mmCIF file of all heavy atoms in Angstrom:
data_model
loop_
_atom_site.group_PDB
_atom_site.id
_atom_site.type_symbol
_atom_site.label_atom_id
_atom_site.label_comp_id
_atom_site.label_asym_id
_atom_site.label_seq_id
_atom_site.Cartn_x
_atom_site.Cartn_y
_atom_site.Cartn_z
ATOM 1 N N CYS O 210 92.029 84.240 38.961
ATOM 2 C CA CYS O 210 91.232 83.801 40.148
ATOM 3 C C CYS O 210 91.224 82.303 40.417
ATOM 4 O O CYS O 210 90.735 81.894 41.460
ATOM 5 C CB CYS O 210 89.798 84.333 40.108
ATOM 6 S SG CYS O 210 88.863 83.540 38.652
ATOM 7 N N GLY O 211 91.847 81.519 39.494
ATOM 8 C CA GLY O 211 91.865 80.044 39.766
ATOM 9 C C GLY O 211 92.378 79.292 38.545
ATOM 10 O O GLY O 211 92.840 79.933 37.536
ATOM 11 N N SER O 212 92.440 78.054 38.686
ATOM 12 C CA SER O 212 92.937 77.197 37.582
ATOM 13 C C SER O 212 92.280 75.779 37.723
ATOM 14 O O SER O 212 91.815 75.459 38.703
ATOM 15 C CB SER O 212 94.485 77.137 37.588
ATOM 16 O OG SER O 212 94.887 76.301 38.723
ATOM 17 N N LYS O 213 92.417 75.067 36.613
ATOM 18 C CA LYS O 213 91.852 73.699 36.607
ATOM 19 C C LYS O 213 92.787 72.889 35.646
ATOM 20 O O LYS O 213 93.131 73.339 34.527
ATOM 21 C CB LYS O 213 90.466 73.690 36.069
ATOM 22 C CG LYS O 213 89.814 72.283 36.023
ATOM 23 C CD LYS O 213 88.409 72.363 35.423
ATOM 24 C CE LYS O 213 87.859 70.922 35.220
ATOM 25 N NZ LYS O 213 86.539 70.872 34.579
ATOM 26 N N ILE O 214 93.122 71.709 36.138
ATOM 27 C CA ILE O 214 93.952 70.829 35.331
ATOM 28 C C ILE O 214 93.163 69.532 34.935
ATOM 29 O O ILE O 214 92.522 68.862 35.814
ATOM 30 C CB ILE O 214 95.260 70.396 36.117
ATOM 31 C CG1 ILE O 214 96.036 71.618 36.563
ATOM 32 C CG2 ILE O 214 96.070 69.389 35.338
ATOM 33 C CD1 ILE O 214 97.160 71.296 37.528
ATOM 34 N N THR O 215 93.101 69.281 33.663
ATOM 35 C CA THR O 215 92.491 68.010 33.181
ATOM 36 C C THR O 215 93.571 67.070 32.621
ATOM 37 O O THR O 215 94.260 67.416 31.688
ATOM 38 C CB THR O 215 91.526 68.387 32.046
ATOM 39 O OG1 THR O 215 90.592 69.324 32.520
ATOM 40 C CG2 THR O 215 90.769 67.106 31.569
ATOM 41 N N PRO O 216 93.747 65.910 33.287
ATOM 42 C CA PRO O 216 94.828 65.026 32.870
ATOM 43 C C PRO O 216 94.327 64.007 31.742
ATOM 44 O O PRO O 216 93.147 63.750 31.695
ATOM 45 C CB PRO O 216 95.147 64.246 34.140
ATOM 46 C CG PRO O 216 93.868 64.215 34.935
ATOM 47 C CD PRO O 216 93.132 65.466 34.541
ATOM 48 N N TYR O 217 95.256 63.530 31.019
ATOM 49 C CA TYR O 217 94.911 62.558 29.884
ATOM 50 C C TYR O 217 95.934 61.430 29.903
ATOM 51 O O TYR O 217 97.118 61.627 29.750
ATOM 52 C CB TYR O 217 94.911 63.227 28.533
ATOM 53 C CG TYR O 217 93.908 64.340 28.375
ATOM 54 C CD1 TYR O 217 94.326 65.670 28.600
ATOM 55 C CD2 TYR O 217 92.612 64.066 28.068
ATOM 56 C CE1 TYR O 217 93.368 66.709 28.432
ATOM 57 C CE2 TYR O 217 91.666 65.075 27.897
ATOM 58 C CZ TYR O 217 92.108 66.418 28.094
ATOM 59 O OH TYR O 217 91.112 67.461 28.016
ATOM 60 N N LEU O 218 95.468 60.189 30.129
ATOM 61 C CA LEU O 218 96.211 58.938 29.899
ATOM 62 C C LEU O 218 97.592 58.882 30.483
ATOM 63 O O LEU O 218 98.604 59.155 29.877
ATOM 64 C CB LEU O 218 96.358 58.711 28.326
ATOM 65 C CG LEU O 218 96.935 57.338 27.957
ATOM 66 C CD1 LEU O 218 95.963 56.199 28.363
ATOM 67 C CD2 LEU O 218 97.207 57.322 26.497
ATOM 68 N N LEU O 219 97.620 58.635 31.838
ATOM 69 C CA LEU O 219 98.890 58.399 32.468
ATOM 70 C C LEU O 219 99.490 57.018 31.976
ATOM 71 O O LEU O 219 98.767 55.962 31.923
ATOM 72 C CB LEU O 219 98.747 58.351 34.003
ATOM 73 C CG LEU O 219 99.967 57.983 34.866
ATOM 74 C CD1 LEU O 219 100.884 59.159 34.693
ATOM 75 C CD2 LEU O 219 99.595 57.798 36.308
ATOM 76 N N GLU O 220 100.769 57.011 31.597
ATOM 77 C CA GLU O 220 101.415 55.865 31.080
ATOM 78 C C GLU O 220 101.748 54.853 32.235
ATOM 79 O O GLU O 220 102.829 54.941 32.818
ATOM 80 C CB GLU O 220 102.716 56.191 30.294
ATOM 81 C CG GLU O 220 103.323 55.007 29.607
ATOM 82 C CD GLU O 220 104.648 55.385 29.043
ATOM 83 O OE1 GLU O 220 105.195 56.469 29.315
ATOM 84 O OE2 GLU O 220 105.205 54.600 28.160
ATOM 85 N N LYS O 221 100.813 53.939 32.547
ATOM 86 C CA LYS O 221 101.028 53.045 33.652
ATOM 87 C C LYS O 221 102.002 51.937 33.388
ATOM 88 O O LYS O 221 102.581 51.361 34.338
ATOM 89 C CB LYS O 221 99.656 52.527 34.105
ATOM 90 C CG LYS O 221 98.609 53.501 34.553
ATOM 91 C CD LYS O 221 97.311 52.796 34.881
ATOM 92 C CE LYS O 221 96.260 53.865 35.224
ATOM 93 N NZ LYS O 221 94.936 53.185 35.496
ATOM 94 N N SER O 222 102.152 51.596 32.195
ATOM 95 C CA SER O 222 103.130 50.511 31.830
ATOM 96 C C SER O 222 104.571 50.850 32.262
ATOM 97 O O SER O 222 105.394 49.922 32.447
ATOM 98 C CB SER O 222 103.034 50.163 30.327
ATOM 99 O OG SER O 222 103.437 51.222 29.537
ATOM 100 N N ARG O 223 104.839 52.161 32.290
ATOM 101 C CA ARG O 223 106.193 52.573 32.673
ATOM 102 C C ARG O 223 106.528 52.153 34.095
ATOM 103 O O ARG O 223 107.622 52.033 34.518
ATOM 104 C CB ARG O 223 106.340 54.094 32.575
ATOM 105 C CG ARG O 223 107.742 54.662 32.863
ATOM 106 C CD ARG O 223 107.902 56.028 32.364
ATOM 107 N NE ARG O 223 107.930 55.999 30.936
ATOM 108 C CZ ARG O 223 108.980 55.825 30.163
ATOM 109 N NH1 ARG O 223 110.200 55.589 30.798
ATOM 110 N NH2 ARG O 223 108.986 55.811 28.911
ATOM 111 N N LEU O 224 105.482 51.978 34.944
ATOM 112 C CA LEU O 224 105.716 51.533 36.368
ATOM 113 C C LEU O 224 106.334 50.126 36.328
ATOM 114 O O LEU O 224 107.110 49.814 37.221
ATOM 115 C CB LEU O 224 104.344 51.426 37.101
ATOM 116 C CG LEU O 224 103.685 52.798 37.342
ATOM 117 C CD1 LEU O 224 102.220 52.512 37.725
ATOM 118 C CD2 LEU O 224 104.385 53.554 38.414
ATOM 119 N N ILE O 225 106.053 49.279 35.305
ATOM 120 C CA ILE O 225 106.548 47.930 35.296
ATOM 121 C C ILE O 225 107.809 47.759 34.537
ATOM 122 O O ILE O 225 108.736 47.124 35.030
ATOM 123 C CB ILE O 225 105.435 47.042 34.743
ATOM 124 C CG1 ILE O 225 104.053 47.347 35.372
ATOM 125 C CG2 ILE O 225 105.733 45.558 34.943
ATOM 126 C CD1 ILE O 225 104.034 47.262 36.833
ATOM 127 N N THR O 226 107.876 48.353 33.351
ATOM 128 C CA THR O 226 109.042 48.218 32.513
ATOM 129 C C THR O 226 109.466 49.569 31.947
ATOM 130 O O THR O 226 108.611 50.396 31.702
ATOM 131 C CB THR O 226 108.777 47.198 31.354
ATOM 132 O OG1 THR O 226 107.689 47.714 30.487
ATOM 133 C CG2 THR O 226 108.468 45.840 31.876
ATOM 134 N N GLN O 227 110.836 49.755 31.710
ATOM 135 C CA GLN O 227 111.325 50.936 31.021
ATOM 136 C C GLN O 227 112.427 50.446 30.006
ATOM 137 O O GLN O 227 113.034 49.430 30.207
ATOM 138 C CB GLN O 227 111.969 51.856 32.069
ATOM 139 C CG GLN O 227 111.135 52.292 33.170
ATOM 140 C CD GLN O 227 111.254 51.389 34.380
ATOM 141 O OE1 GLN O 227 112.346 50.944 34.715
ATOM 142 N NE2 GLN O 227 110.059 51.107 35.028
#
Side-chain angles (χ1 to χ4, degrees):
C210 63
S212 69
K213 178 185 176 183
I214 301 171
T215 304
Y217 299 96
L218 188 66
L219 178 69
E220 186 187 15
K221 298 179 185 177
S222 62
R223 181 165 294 274
L224 293 165
I225 311 304
T226 59
Q227 306 91 39

